[in-house]
Amino acid sequence: MRRTPRIRRPRESRTRPQVVAHRGSSHDTAEHTLAAYVKALDEGADALECDVRLTADGHLVCVHDRDLRRTASTTGLVSTMNLAELDELDFASWKSPWSDLDDEAPDRDPADGKVLTLRKLLEMVADYDRHVELAIETKHPTRYGGLVERRLVETLGDFGWDRAGSPARVMSFSLNAVSRVRRLAPGLEVVMLVDKAHHWPVLRPVVDDDWIIGPGIKELREHPGLGRHLVKAGREIHVWTVNTADDLEICLDLGVTAVISDRPAHILELLDR
Protein backbone atom coordinates (compact mmCIF):
# COMPACT_ATOMS: atom_id res chain seq x y z
CA MET A 1 0.00 0.00 0.00
CA ARG A 2 1.42 3.39 -0.99
CA ARG A 3 2.05 6.09 1.54
CA THR A 4 0.65 9.55 1.04
CA PRO A 5 3.35 11.39 -0.91
CA ARG A 6 5.37 13.67 1.34
CA ILE A 7 5.67 17.36 0.58
CA ARG A 8 8.81 17.81 -1.49
CA ARG A 9 11.16 20.55 -0.38
CA PRO A 10 10.98 23.57 -2.67
CA ARG A 11 13.58 23.77 -5.41
CA GLU A 12 14.77 26.95 -7.00
CA SER A 13 13.08 27.47 -10.34
CA ARG A 14 15.34 26.49 -13.21
CA THR A 15 15.18 26.99 -16.92
CA ARG A 16 17.56 24.08 -17.25
CA PRO A 17 18.15 20.78 -15.45
CA GLN A 18 20.55 20.58 -12.57
CA VAL A 19 24.03 19.62 -13.83
CA VAL A 20 25.59 16.97 -11.60
CA ALA A 21 29.29 16.16 -11.93
CA HIS A 22 29.62 12.37 -12.23
CA ARG A 23 32.44 11.31 -9.86
CA GLY A 24 33.61 14.90 -10.25
CA SER A 25 34.75 16.31 -13.58
CA SER A 26 35.82 12.79 -14.43
CA HIS A 27 36.25 13.08 -18.19
CA ASP A 28 39.47 15.05 -17.71
CA THR A 29 40.47 14.29 -14.11
CA ALA A 30 40.77 11.03 -12.20
CA GLU A 31 37.35 10.13 -10.84
CA HIS A 32 36.48 10.52 -7.17
CA THR A 33 39.62 12.50 -6.41
CA LEU A 34 39.54 15.81 -4.61
CA ALA A 35 40.97 17.41 -7.75
CA ALA A 36 38.05 16.09 -9.84
CA TYR A 37 35.50 17.62 -7.49
CA VAL A 38 37.30 20.94 -7.18
CA LYS A 39 37.46 21.13 -10.97
CA ALA A 40 33.74 20.37 -11.24
CA LEU A 41 32.87 23.16 -8.83
CA ASP A 42 35.21 25.55 -10.62
CA GLU A 43 33.37 24.69 -13.84
CA GLY A 44 30.05 25.61 -12.26
CA ALA A 45 28.50 22.22 -11.56
CA ASP A 46 25.31 22.49 -9.51
CA ALA A 47 25.87 19.20 -7.73
CA LEU A 48 28.42 16.45 -7.21
CA GLU A 49 27.84 12.71 -7.60
CA CYS A 50 29.85 10.09 -5.75
CA ASP A 51 29.80 6.37 -5.05
CA VAL A 52 30.54 5.19 -1.53
CA ARG A 53 31.94 1.97 -0.14
CA LEU A 54 32.72 0.97 3.43
CA THR A 55 36.28 0.12 4.49
CA ALA A 56 37.15 -2.67 6.89
CA ASP A 57 37.50 -0.15 9.72
CA GLY A 58 34.18 1.53 9.04
CA HIS A 59 35.00 4.59 6.90
CA LEU A 60 32.96 5.58 3.86
CA VAL A 61 35.23 6.25 0.88
CA CYS A 62 34.44 7.53 -2.59
CA VAL A 63 35.33 4.57 -4.80
CA HIS A 64 33.23 3.03 -7.58
CA ASP A 65 34.72 -0.44 -8.08
CA ARG A 66 34.82 -3.10 -5.39
CA ASP A 67 38.45 -3.84 -6.25
CA LEU A 68 41.37 -1.48 -6.86
CA ARG A 69 42.81 -2.75 -10.14
CA ARG A 70 41.41 -0.01 -12.37
CA THR A 71 41.81 3.12 -10.24
CA ALA A 72 44.76 2.28 -7.97
CA SER A 73 46.65 -0.28 -10.11
CA THR A 74 46.80 -2.83 -7.35
CA THR A 75 44.96 -5.91 -6.17
CA GLY A 76 42.72 -5.90 -3.15
CA LEU A 77 39.15 -5.14 -2.21
CA VAL A 78 38.01 -1.87 -0.66
CA SER A 79 35.94 -3.75 1.90
CA THR A 80 38.92 -5.74 3.22
CA MET A 81 41.29 -2.78 3.64
CA ASN A 82 41.59 -0.14 6.35
CA LEU A 83 41.51 3.54 5.51
CA ALA A 84 45.21 3.88 6.37
CA GLU A 85 46.05 1.17 3.81
CA LEU A 86 43.97 2.86 1.13
CA ASP A 87 45.57 6.18 1.95
CA GLU A 88 48.94 4.81 0.85
CA LEU A 89 47.67 4.23 -2.71
CA ASP A 90 47.64 6.55 -5.72
CA PHE A 91 44.11 6.94 -7.15
CA ALA A 92 45.04 9.50 -9.81
CA SER A 93 48.01 8.33 -11.90
CA TRP A 94 45.98 5.79 -13.88
CA LYS A 95 44.18 8.63 -15.64
CA SER A 96 47.38 10.09 -17.13
CA PRO A 97 50.09 7.41 -16.86
CA TRP A 98 52.57 9.32 -19.04
CA SER A 99 52.33 12.66 -17.25
CA ASP A 100 55.71 12.20 -15.56
CA LEU A 101 57.32 12.22 -19.01
CA ASP A 102 55.51 15.39 -20.12
CA ASP A 103 57.58 18.47 -19.30
CA GLU A 104 54.55 20.69 -19.93
CA ALA A 105 52.18 18.77 -17.67
CA PRO A 106 51.18 20.79 -14.59
CA ASP A 107 52.59 19.69 -11.26
CA ARG A 108 50.14 17.54 -9.34
CA ASP A 109 49.68 17.75 -5.61
CA PRO A 110 50.07 14.14 -4.34
CA ALA A 111 47.27 14.83 -1.84
CA ASP A 112 44.84 15.26 -4.74
CA GLY A 113 45.34 11.62 -5.68
CA LYS A 114 44.69 10.17 -2.24
CA VAL A 115 41.59 8.15 -1.50
CA LEU A 116 38.75 10.57 -0.76
CA THR A 117 36.56 9.96 2.26
CA LEU A 118 32.93 10.95 2.08
CA ARG A 119 33.41 13.08 5.19
CA LYS A 120 36.10 15.16 3.46
CA LEU A 121 33.86 15.65 0.43
CA LEU A 122 30.97 16.74 2.67
CA GLU A 123 33.25 19.19 4.48
CA MET A 124 34.31 20.71 1.18
CA VAL A 125 30.69 21.14 0.09
CA ALA A 126 29.69 22.59 3.46
CA ASP A 127 32.48 25.17 3.26
CA TYR A 128 31.96 26.11 -0.38
CA ASP A 129 30.92 29.68 -1.14
CA ARG A 130 27.73 28.75 -2.98
CA HIS A 131 24.97 26.17 -2.65
CA VAL A 132 26.06 22.74 -3.90
CA GLU A 133 24.01 19.54 -3.78
CA LEU A 134 25.21 15.95 -3.48
CA ALA A 135 23.98 12.75 -5.10
CA ILE A 136 25.44 9.84 -3.14
CA GLU A 137 25.20 6.30 -4.49
CA THR A 138 25.59 3.27 -2.27
CA LYS A 139 27.09 0.27 -4.05
CA HIS A 140 25.66 -3.22 -3.69
CA PRO A 141 26.12 -6.10 -3.23
CA THR A 142 28.63 -5.64 -0.44
CA ARG A 143 29.82 -7.75 2.47
CA TYR A 144 28.52 -5.09 4.87
CA GLY A 145 24.93 -5.03 3.61
CA GLY A 146 22.76 -2.43 5.31
CA LEU A 147 25.62 -1.10 7.44
CA VAL A 148 26.58 1.08 4.46
CA GLU A 149 23.30 3.00 4.56
CA ARG A 150 23.36 3.24 8.34
CA ARG A 151 26.86 4.72 8.31
CA LEU A 152 25.88 7.06 5.50
CA VAL A 153 22.85 8.42 7.36
CA GLU A 154 24.95 8.80 10.53
CA THR A 155 27.59 10.76 8.61
CA LEU A 156 25.01 13.01 6.99
CA GLY A 157 23.53 13.54 10.45
CA ASP A 158 26.84 14.96 11.66
CA PHE A 159 26.25 17.80 9.19
CA GLY A 160 22.54 18.11 9.91
CA TRP A 161 21.88 16.71 6.44
CA ASP A 162 19.83 13.65 7.35
CA ARG A 163 16.48 15.42 7.15
CA ALA A 164 14.21 17.41 4.86
CA GLY A 165 16.02 20.32 3.28
CA SER A 166 19.29 18.43 3.05
CA PRO A 167 21.51 19.22 0.05
CA ALA A 168 22.17 15.48 -0.18
CA ARG A 169 20.11 12.76 -1.78
CA VAL A 170 20.86 9.03 -1.76
CA MET A 171 20.75 6.75 -4.79
CA SER A 172 21.13 3.05 -5.44
CA PHE A 173 20.30 0.33 -7.93
CA SER A 174 19.29 -1.73 -4.88
CA LEU A 175 15.62 -1.45 -3.92
CA ASN A 176 16.48 -2.67 -0.43
CA ALA A 177 19.12 0.03 -0.04
CA VAL A 178 16.79 2.84 -1.08
CA SER A 179 14.02 1.50 1.18
CA ARG A 180 16.51 1.31 4.05
CA VAL A 181 17.53 4.95 3.63
CA ARG A 182 13.91 6.04 3.62
CA ARG A 183 13.31 4.15 6.88
CA LEU A 184 16.43 5.57 8.53
CA ALA A 185 15.92 9.14 7.30
CA PRO A 186 12.35 9.69 6.08
CA GLY A 187 13.05 13.29 5.09
CA LEU A 188 15.90 12.55 2.70
CA GLU A 189 15.28 12.52 -1.03
CA VAL A 190 16.04 9.14 -2.61
CA VAL A 191 16.66 8.06 -6.17
CA MET A 192 15.84 4.60 -7.51
CA LEU A 193 18.40 3.99 -10.24
CA VAL A 194 17.20 1.94 -13.20
CA ASP A 195 19.75 -0.04 -15.16
CA LYS A 196 17.46 -1.68 -17.71
CA ALA A 197 14.19 -0.43 -19.21
CA HIS A 198 12.46 -3.75 -18.59
CA HIS A 199 13.15 -3.42 -14.85
CA TRP A 200 10.76 -0.46 -14.55
CA PRO A 201 7.48 -2.42 -14.83
CA VAL A 202 8.72 -4.61 -11.96
CA LEU A 203 9.83 -1.65 -9.84
CA ARG A 204 6.82 0.56 -10.51
CA PRO A 205 4.41 -1.13 -8.06
CA VAL A 206 6.93 -1.19 -5.20
CA VAL A 207 8.55 2.26 -5.24
CA ASP A 208 6.86 5.12 -3.44
CA ASP A 209 5.30 7.95 -5.38
CA ASP A 210 7.82 10.51 -4.15
CA TRP A 211 10.96 8.56 -5.07
CA ILE A 212 12.99 10.09 -7.88
CA ILE A 213 13.68 7.71 -10.77
CA GLY A 214 17.17 7.55 -12.28
CA PRO A 215 17.32 5.83 -15.68
CA GLY A 216 20.47 5.56 -17.77
CA ILE A 217 20.63 7.60 -20.96
CA LYS A 218 21.34 4.48 -23.01
CA GLU A 219 18.02 2.98 -21.96
CA LEU A 220 16.14 6.21 -22.69
CA ARG A 221 17.77 6.37 -26.13
CA GLU A 222 17.13 2.75 -27.05
CA HIS A 223 13.74 2.42 -25.34
CA PRO A 224 11.97 5.79 -25.68
CA GLY A 225 8.81 4.33 -24.18
CA LEU A 226 10.54 4.28 -20.79
CA GLY A 227 10.84 8.05 -20.75
CA ARG A 228 7.26 8.51 -21.92
CA HIS A 229 5.97 6.21 -19.17
CA LEU A 230 7.93 8.05 -16.49
CA VAL A 231 6.67 11.44 -17.68
CA LYS A 232 3.08 10.20 -17.90
CA ALA A 233 3.35 8.93 -14.33
CA GLY A 234 4.52 12.35 -13.17
CA ARG A 235 7.87 11.04 -11.99
CA GLU A 236 10.84 13.30 -11.25
CA ILE A 237 13.68 12.03 -13.46
CA HIS A 238 17.45 12.22 -12.97
CA VAL A 239 19.47 10.77 -15.86
CA TRP A 240 22.98 9.29 -16.01
CA THR A 241 25.48 9.61 -17.76
CA VAL A 242 24.80 12.50 -20.14
CA ASN A 243 27.88 13.60 -22.09
CA THR A 244 26.73 14.63 -25.58
CA ALA A 245 24.44 17.20 -27.17
CA ASP A 246 22.17 14.46 -28.54
CA ASP A 247 21.80 12.84 -25.14
CA LEU A 248 21.11 16.19 -23.52
CA GLU A 249 18.38 16.87 -26.09
CA ILE A 250 16.62 13.66 -25.06
CA CYS A 251 16.68 14.84 -21.45
CA LEU A 252 15.41 18.31 -22.31
CA ASP A 253 12.55 16.84 -24.32
CA LEU A 254 11.52 14.76 -21.30
CA GLY A 255 11.83 17.69 -18.89
CA VAL A 256 14.23 15.87 -16.55
CA THR A 257 15.30 17.79 -13.46
CA ALA A 258 18.92 16.59 -13.27
CA VAL A 259 21.55 15.31 -15.69
CA ILE A 260 24.62 13.51 -14.35
CA SER A 261 27.67 14.03 -16.55
CA ASP A 262 31.38 13.27 -16.74
CA ARG A 263 31.68 16.60 -18.59
CA PRO A 264 29.81 19.20 -16.53
CA ALA A 265 31.50 22.16 -18.23
CA HIS A 266 30.50 20.86 -21.66
CA ILE A 267 26.90 20.29 -20.62
CA LEU A 268 26.68 23.74 -19.03
CA GLU A 269 28.03 25.27 -22.23
CA LEU A 270 25.39 23.45 -24.30
CA LEU A 271 22.64 24.59 -21.95
CA ASP A 272 23.77 28.22 -22.03
CA ARG A 273 23.78 28.51 -25.82
Side-chain angles (χ1 to χ4, degrees):
M1 183 175 179
R2 293 188 186 275
R3 302 177 312 167
T4 301
R6 63 192 176 94
I7 299 174
R8 188 178 302 283
R9 62 184 176 86
R11 291 183 178 273
E12 59 183 281
S13 59
R14 292 190 179 95
T15 57
R16 59 168 176 81
Q18 182 186 72
V19 177
V20 185
H22 184 236
R23 310 179 197 172
S25 187
S26 55
H27 181 266
D28 301 312
T29 310
E31 66 185 56
H32 284 132
T33 59
L34 185 62
Y37 288 110
V38 170
K39 182 176 175 63
L41 293 179
D42 288 345
E43 292 172 344
D46 303 307
L48 306 176
E49 185 271 351
C50 68
D51 307 290
V52 292
R53 292 185 176 276
L54 199 61
T55 66
D57 54 344
H59 294 274
L60 287 167
V61 292
C62 301
V63 181
H64 179 272
D65 302 352
R66 66 189 295 268
D67 64 64
L68 300 164
R69 289 173 292 182
R70 181 175 65 90
T71 56
S73 302
T74 187
T75 58
L77 303 178
V78 175
S79 61
T80 64
M81 299 179 70
N82 294 332
L83 179 60
E85 295 174 307
L86 291 170
D87 199 46
E88 294 177 357
L89 302 176
D90 182 348
F91 282 82
S93 293
W94 68 273
K95 187 71 172 181
S96 51
W98 307 110
S99 61
D100 289 344
L101 303 178
D102 184 356
D103 293 335
E104 298 180 358
D107 293 335
R108 180 171 64 84
D109 185 344
D112 289 344
K114 294 288 188 179
V115 67
L116 181 63
T117 64
L118 177 65
R119 183 171 296 276
K120 187 169 185 177
L121 181 61
L122 297 181
E123 289 171 348
M124 183 181 75
V125 169
D127 291 340
Y128 205 65
D129 61 4
R130 62 176 170 86
H131 179 74
V132 177
E133 296 194 4
L134 288 151
I136 304 169
E137 181 185 343
T138 61
K139 306 301 292 184
H140 288 276
T142 172
R143 72 179 63 228
Y144 299 117
L147 182 59
V148 177
E149 284 75 36
R150 289 195 291 274
R151 284 292 170 83
L152 173 55
V153 170
E154 289 171 1
T155 303
L156 290 173
D158 291 340
F159 292 78
W161 292 351
D162 59 342
R163 60 207 69 172
S166 171
R169 55 185 178 265
V170 180
M171 314 186 296
S172 186
F173 289 100
S174 165
L175 176 64
N176 287 337
V178 179
S179 299
R180 189 178 299 119
V181 170
R182 180 46 62 83
R183 290 195 301 271
L184 292 168
L188 274 181
E189 288 192 332
V190 294
V191 184
M192 184 72 242
L193 297 173
V194 180
D195 190 29
K196 300 293 184 183
H198 66 265
H199 291 172
W200 174 240
V202 178
L203 290 168
R204 183 174 55 202
V206 294
V207 300
D208 285 344
D209 292 325
D210 62 340
W211 291 16
I212 300 166
I213 307 302
I217 188 63
K218 180 175 181 289
E219 294 304 294
L220 291 177
R221 189 189 314 116
E222 296 180 359
H223 304 279
L226 172 61
R228 291 195 297 268
H229 284 302
L230 293 175
V231 170
K232 184 177 180 180
R235 291 285 183 174
E236 183 173 350
I237 307 169
H238 293 186
V239 182
W240 53 274
T241 304
V242 179
N243 290 326
T244 69
D246 288 345
D247 288 345
L248 179 59
E249 193 62 32
I250 293 172
C251 295
L252 294 177
D253 287 345
L254 290 172
V256 309
T257 54
V259 292
I260 302 172
S261 177
D262 300 322
R263 307 175 67 193
H266 178 59
I267 296 299
L268 286 165
E269 180 183 1
L270 292 173
L271 288 169
D272 291 340
R273 285 180 182 175

Coordinates of all heavy atoms in Angstrom, one line a residue, residues 12-69:
E12 N 14.7 25.7 -6.3 CA 14.8 26.9 -7.0 C 14.3 26.7 -8.4 O 14.5 25.6 -9.0 CB 16.2 27.5 -7.0 CG 17.2 26.5 -7.7 CD 18.6 27.0 -7.6 OE1 19.0 27.9 -8.4 OE2 19.4 26.6 -6.8
S13 N 13.6 27.7 -9.0 CA 13.1 27.5 -10.3 C 14.3 27.5 -11.3 O 15.2 28.3 -11.2 CB 12.1 28.6 -10.7 OG 12.7 29.8 -10.6
R14 N 14.2 26.6 -12.3 CA 15.3 26.5 -13.2 C 14.8 26.5 -14.6 O 13.8 25.9 -14.9 CB 16.2 25.2 -13.0 CG 16.9 25.2 -11.7 CD 17.9 24.0 -11.7 NE 18.7 23.9 -10.5 CZ 18.4 23.2 -9.5 NH1 17.3 22.4 -9.5 NH2 19.1 23.1 -8.4
T15 N 15.5 27.1 -15.5 CA 15.2 27.0 -16.9 C 16.0 25.9 -17.5 O 15.8 25.6 -18.7 CB 15.5 28.3 -17.7 OG1 16.9 28.6 -17.5 CG2 14.7 29.4 -17.1
R16 N 16.8 25.2 -16.8 CA 17.6 24.1 -17.3 C 17.6 23.0 -16.1 O 17.4 23.3 -15.0 CB 19.0 24.5 -17.6 CG 19.8 25.2 -16.5 CD 21.2 25.3 -16.9 NE 22.0 26.0 -15.9 CZ 22.5 25.4 -14.8 NH1 22.3 24.2 -14.5 NH2 23.3 26.1 -14.0
P17 N 18.0 21.8 -16.5 CA 18.1 20.8 -15.4 C 19.4 21.1 -14.6 O 20.3 21.7 -15.0 CB 18.3 19.5 -16.2 CG 18.8 19.9 -17.6 CD 18.2 21.2 -17.8
Q18 N 19.4 20.5 -13.4 CA 20.6 20.6 -12.6 C 21.7 19.8 -13.2 O 21.4 18.6 -13.7 CB 20.2 20.0 -11.2 CG 21.4 20.1 -10.2 CD 21.0 19.4 -8.9 OE1 20.9 18.1 -8.9 NE2 20.8 20.1 -7.8
V19 N 22.9 20.3 -13.3 CA 24.0 19.6 -13.8 C 24.8 19.0 -12.7 O 25.4 19.8 -11.8 CB 24.9 20.6 -14.7 CG1 26.1 19.8 -15.2 CG2 24.0 21.1 -15.9
V20 N 24.9 17.7 -12.7 CA 25.6 17.0 -11.6 C 26.9 16.4 -12.1 O 26.9 15.6 -13.1 CB 24.7 15.9 -11.1 CG1 25.3 15.2 -9.9 CG2 23.3 16.4 -10.8
A21 N 28.0 16.7 -11.5 CA 29.3 16.2 -11.9 C 29.5 14.7 -11.5 O 29.5 14.4 -10.3 CB 30.4 17.0 -11.4
H22 N 29.6 13.8 -12.5 CA 29.6 12.4 -12.2 C 31.0 12.0 -11.8 O 32.0 12.0 -12.5 CB 29.3 11.6 -13.5 CG 29.2 10.2 -13.4 ND1 30.0 9.3 -14.2 CD2 28.5 9.3 -12.6 CE1 29.7 8.1 -13.9 NE2 28.8 8.1 -12.9
R23 N 31.1 11.6 -10.5 CA 32.4 11.3 -9.9 C 33.4 12.5 -10.0 O 34.6 12.3 -10.0 CB 33.1 10.1 -10.5 CG 32.1 8.9 -10.6 CD 32.8 7.7 -11.2 NE 31.7 6.7 -11.6 CZ 32.0 5.6 -12.4 NH1 33.2 5.3 -12.7 NH2 31.0 4.8 -12.7
G24 N 32.8 13.7 -10.0 CA 33.6 14.9 -10.3 C 33.6 15.2 -11.7 O 32.9 14.6 -12.5
S25 N 34.6 16.1 -12.1 CA 34.7 16.3 -13.6 C 35.6 15.2 -14.1 O 36.8 15.4 -14.4 CB 35.4 17.7 -13.8 OG 35.4 18.0 -15.1
S26 N 35.0 14.0 -14.3 CA 35.8 12.8 -14.4 C 36.3 12.5 -15.9 O 37.0 11.6 -16.1 CB 35.0 11.6 -13.9 OG 33.8 11.5 -14.5
H27 N 35.8 13.3 -16.8 CA 36.3 13.1 -18.2 C 37.7 13.5 -18.3 O 38.5 12.8 -19.0 CB 35.4 13.9 -19.2 CG 35.8 13.8 -20.6 ND1 36.7 14.6 -21.2 CD2 35.5 12.8 -21.5 CE1 36.9 14.2 -22.5 NE2 36.2 13.2 -22.7
D28 N 38.1 14.5 -17.6 CA 39.5 15.0 -17.7 C 40.3 14.8 -16.5 O 41.6 14.8 -16.6 CB 39.4 16.6 -17.9 CG 38.7 17.0 -19.2 OD1 38.9 16.4 -20.2 OD2 37.8 17.9 -19.1
T29 N 39.7 14.4 -15.4 CA 40.5 14.3 -14.1 C 40.1 13.0 -13.5 O 39.0 12.5 -13.6 CB 40.1 15.5 -13.2 OG1 40.3 16.7 -13.9 CG2 41.0 15.5 -11.9
A30 N 41.0 12.3 -12.8 CA 40.8 11.0 -12.2 C 39.6 11.1 -11.3 O 39.4 11.9 -10.4 CB 42.0 10.6 -11.4
E31 N 38.6 10.2 -11.5 CA 37.4 10.1 -10.8 C 37.5 10.0 -9.3 O 38.5 9.4 -8.8 CB 36.5 9.0 -11.3 CG 37.1 7.6 -11.0 CD 36.3 6.5 -11.6 OE1 36.1 6.4 -12.8 OE2 35.9 5.6 -10.8
H32 N 36.6 10.6 -8.6 CA 36.5 10.5 -7.2 C 37.7 11.1 -6.4 O 37.8 10.9 -5.2 CB 36.3 9.0 -6.7 CG 34.9 8.5 -7.0 ND1 34.7 7.3 -7.6 CD2 33.7 9.0 -6.7 CE1 33.4 7.1 -7.6 NE2 32.7 8.1 -7.1
T33 N 38.5 11.8 -7.1 CA 39.6 12.5 -6.4 C 39.2 13.9 -6.0 O 38.3 14.5 -6.6 CB 40.9 12.6 -7.3 OG1 40.6 13.3 -8.5 CG2 41.4 11.2 -7.6
L34 N 39.9 14.5 -5.0 CA 39.5 15.8 -4.6 C 39.7 16.8 -5.8 O 38.9 17.7 -6.0 CB 40.4 16.2 -3.5 CG 40.2 17.6 -2.8 CD1 38.8 17.6 -2.2 CD2 41.2 17.9 -1.8
A35 N 40.7 16.5 -6.6 CA 41.0 17.4 -7.8 C 39.8 17.4 -8.7 O 39.4 18.4 -9.3 CB 42.3 17.0 -8.5
A36 N 39.2 16.2 -8.9 CA 38.1 16.1 -9.8 C 36.9 16.9 -9.3 O 36.1 17.5 -10.1 CB 37.7 14.6 -10.0
Y37 N 36.6 16.9 -8.0 CA 35.5 17.6 -7.5 C 35.7 19.1 -7.5 O 34.8 19.9 -7.7 CB 35.2 17.1 -6.1 CG 34.5 15.7 -6.2 CD1 35.2 14.6 -5.7 CD2 33.3 15.5 -6.7 CE1 34.6 13.3 -5.8 CE2 32.7 14.3 -6.8 CZ 33.4 13.2 -6.3 OH 32.8 11.9 -6.4
V38 N 37.0 19.5 -7.1 CA 37.3 20.9 -7.2 C 37.1 21.5 -8.6 O 36.6 22.6 -8.8 CB 38.7 21.2 -6.7 CG1 39.2 22.6 -6.9 CG2 38.8 20.9 -5.2
K39 N 37.6 20.7 -9.6 CA 37.5 21.1 -11.0 C 36.0 21.3 -11.4 O 35.6 22.2 -12.0 CB 38.2 20.1 -11.9 CG 38.1 20.5 -13.4 CD 38.9 19.5 -14.2 CE 38.8 19.8 -15.7 NZ 39.3 21.1 -16.1
A40 N 35.2 20.3 -10.9 CA 33.7 20.4 -11.2 C 33.1 21.6 -10.7 O 32.3 22.3 -11.3 CB 33.0 19.1 -10.7
L41 N 33.4 22.0 -9.4 CA 32.9 23.2 -8.8 C 33.4 24.4 -9.5 O 32.6 25.4 -9.8 CB 33.2 23.2 -7.3 CG 32.6 22.1 -6.5 CD1 33.0 22.2 -5.0 CD2 31.0 22.2 -6.6
D42 N 34.7 24.4 -9.9 CA 35.2 25.6 -10.6 C 34.5 25.7 -12.0 O 34.4 26.9 -12.5 CB 36.7 25.4 -10.8 CG 37.5 25.6 -9.6 OD1 37.0 26.1 -8.6 OD2 38.7 25.2 -9.6
E43 N 34.1 24.6 -12.5 CA 33.4 24.7 -13.8 C 31.9 25.1 -13.7 O 31.2 25.3 -14.7 CB 33.5 23.3 -14.5 CG 34.9 23.0 -15.0 CD 35.0 21.5 -15.5 OE1 34.1 20.7 -15.2 OE2 36.0 21.3 -16.1
G44 N 31.4 25.2 -12.5 CA 30.1 25.6 -12.3 C 29.0 24.5 -12.0 O 27.8 24.8 -12.1
A45 N 29.5 23.3 -11.8 CA 28.5 22.2 -11.6 C 27.6 22.6 -10.4 O 28.0 23.1 -9.4 CB 29.2 20.9 -11.3
D46 N 26.3 22.2 -10.6 CA 25.3 22.5 -9.5 C 25.4 21.5 -8.4 O 25.0 21.8 -7.2 CB 23.9 22.4 -10.1 CG 23.7 23.4 -11.3 OD1 24.0 24.6 -11.1 OD2 23.2 22.9 -12.3
A47 N 25.9 20.3 -8.7 CA 25.9 19.2 -7.7 C 27.0 18.2 -8.1 O 27.5 18.2 -9.2 CB 24.5 18.5 -7.7
L48 N 27.4 17.4 -7.1 CA 28.4 16.4 -7.2 C 27.8 15.1 -7.0 O 27.1 14.9 -6.0 CB 29.5 16.7 -6.2 CG 30.2 18.1 -6.2 CD1 31.2 18.2 -5.1 CD2 30.8 18.4 -7.6
E49 N 28.3 14.1 -7.8 CA 27.8 12.7 -7.6 C 29.0 11.9 -7.1 O 30.2 12.1 -7.6 CB 27.3 12.1 -8.9 CG 26.7 10.7 -8.8 CD 27.8 9.6 -9.0 OE1 28.9 9.9 -9.4 OE2 27.4 8.4 -8.8
C50 N 28.8 11.0 -6.2 CA 29.8 10.1 -5.8 C 29.3 8.7 -5.4 O 28.1 8.6 -5.1 CB 30.6 10.7 -4.5 SG 29.6 10.7 -3.0
D51 N 30.1 7.7 -5.5 CA 29.8 6.4 -5.0 C 30.5 6.2 -3.7 O 31.6 6.7 -3.5 CB 30.3 5.3 -6.0 CG 29.8 5.6 -7.5 OD1 28.6 5.4 -7.7 OD2 30.6 6.0 -8.3
V52 N 29.9 5.4 -2.8 CA 30.5 5.2 -1.5 C 30.6 3.7 -1.2 O 29.7 2.9 -1.5 CB 29.9 5.9 -0.4 CG1 30.0 7.4 -0.5 CG2 28.4 5.6 -0.2
R53 N 31.7 3.3 -0.6 CA 31.9 2.0 -0.1 C 32.5 2.1 1.3 O 33.1 3.1 1.6 CB 32.9 1.2 -1.0 CG 32.3 0.9 -2.4 CD 33.3 0.0 -3.2 NE 32.6 -0.4 -4.5 CZ 31.8 -1.4 -4.7 NH1 31.5 -2.2 -3.7 NH2 31.3 -1.6 -5.9
L54 N 32.3 1.0 2.0 CA 32.7 1.0 3.4 C 34.0 0.2 3.6 O 34.2 -0.9 3.0 CB 31.6 0.3 4.3 CG 31.6 0.6 5.8 CD1 31.5 2.0 6.1 CD2 30.5 -0.2 6.4
T55 N 35.0 0.8 4.3 CA 36.3 0.1 4.5 C 36.1 -0.9 5.6 O 35.1 -0.9 6.4 CB 37.4 1.1 4.8 OG1 37.0 1.8 6.1 CG2 37.5 2.2 3.8
A56 N 37.2 -1.7 5.8 CA 37.1 -2.7 6.9 C 37.1 -2.0 8.3 O 36.6 -2.7 9.2 CB 38.4 -3.6 6.8
D57 N 37.6 -0.8 8.4 CA 37.5 -0.2 9.7 C 36.4 0.9 9.8 O 36.4 1.8 10.6 CB 38.8 0.5 10.1 CG 39.4 1.4 9.0 OD1 38.9 1.3 7.9 OD2 40.3 2.1 9.4
G58 N 35.4 0.8 8.9 CA 34.2 1.5 9.0 C 34.1 2.9 8.5 O 33.2 3.7 8.8
H59 N 35.0 3.3 7.5 CA 35.0 4.6 6.9 C 34.3 4.5 5.5 O 34.6 3.5 4.8 CB 36.4 5.1 6.7 CG 37.1 5.4 8.0 ND1 37.0 6.6 8.7 CD2 37.9 4.7 8.8 CE1 37.7 6.6 9.8 NE2 38.3 5.4 9.9
L60 N 33.5 5.5 5.2 CA 33.0 5.6 3.9 C 33.9 6.3 2.9 O 34.4 7.4 3.2 CB 31.6 6.3 3.9 CG 30.5 5.6 4.5 CD1 29.3 6.5 4.8 CD2 30.0 4.4 3.6
V61 N 34.3 5.7 1.8 CA 35.2 6.2 0.9 C 34.6 6.3 -0.5 O 33.7 5.5 -0.8 CB 36.5 5.5 0.8 CG1 37.3 5.6 2.1 CG2 36.3 4.0 0.5
C62 N 35.0 7.3 -1.3 CA 34.4 7.5 -2.6 C 35.2 6.7 -3.6 O 36.2 7.1 -4.2 CB 34.5 9.0 -2.9 SG 33.6 10.1 -1.8
V63 N 34.7 5.5 -3.9 CA 35.3 4.6 -4.8 C 34.2 3.8 -5.5 O 33.3 3.4 -4.8 CB 36.3 3.6 -4.1 CG1 36.9 2.6 -5.1 CG2 37.4 4.3 -3.3
H64 N 34.3 3.7 -6.8 CA 33.2 3.0 -7.6 C 33.4 1.5 -7.5 O 32.4 0.8 -7.2 CB 33.2 3.5 -9.0 CG 32.2 2.8 -9.9 ND1 32.4 1.7 -10.5 CD2 30.9 3.2 -10.2 CE1 31.3 1.3 -11.2 NE2 30.4 2.2 -11.0
D65 N 34.5 1.0 -7.9 CA 34.7 -0.4 -8.1 C 35.0 -1.1 -6.7 O 35.6 -0.5 -5.8 CB 35.9 -0.7 -9.0 CG 35.8 -0.1 -10.4 OD1 34.7 0.4 -10.7 OD2 36.8 -0.1 -11.1
R66 N 34.6 -2.4 -6.6 CA 34.8 -3.1 -5.4 C 36.3 -3.4 -5.2 O 36.8 -3.5 -4.1 CB 34.0 -4.4 -5.3 CG 34.3 -5.4 -6.4 CD 33.3 -6.6 -6.4 NE 33.3 -7.3 -5.2 CZ 34.1 -8.4 -5.0 NH1 34.9 -8.8 -6.0 NH2 34.0 -9.1 -3.9
D67 N 37.0 -3.6 -6.3 CA 38.4 -3.8 -6.2 C 39.2 -2.6 -6.8 O 38.6 -1.7 -7.3 CB 38.8 -5.1 -7.0 CG 38.6 -5.0 -8.5 OD1 39.3 -4.1 -9.2 OD2 37.8 -5.7 -9.1
L68 N 40.5 -2.7 -6.6 CA 41.4 -1.5 -6.9 C 42.2 -1.6 -8.1 O 43.1 -0.7 -8.3 CB 42.3 -1.3 -5.6 CG 41.5 -1.0 -4.3 CD1 42.4 -1.2 -3.1 CD2 40.9 0.3 -4.3
R69 N 42.0 -2.6 -9.0 CA 42.8 -2.7 -10.1 C 42.7 -1.6 -11.1 O 43.8 -1.2 -11.7 CB 42.4 -4.0 -10.8 CG 42.8 -5.3 -10.1 CD 42.3 -6.5 -10.7 NE 40.8 -6.6 -10.6 CZ 40.1 -7.6 -11.1 NH1 40.7 -8.6 -11.7 NH2 38.8 -7.6 -11.0

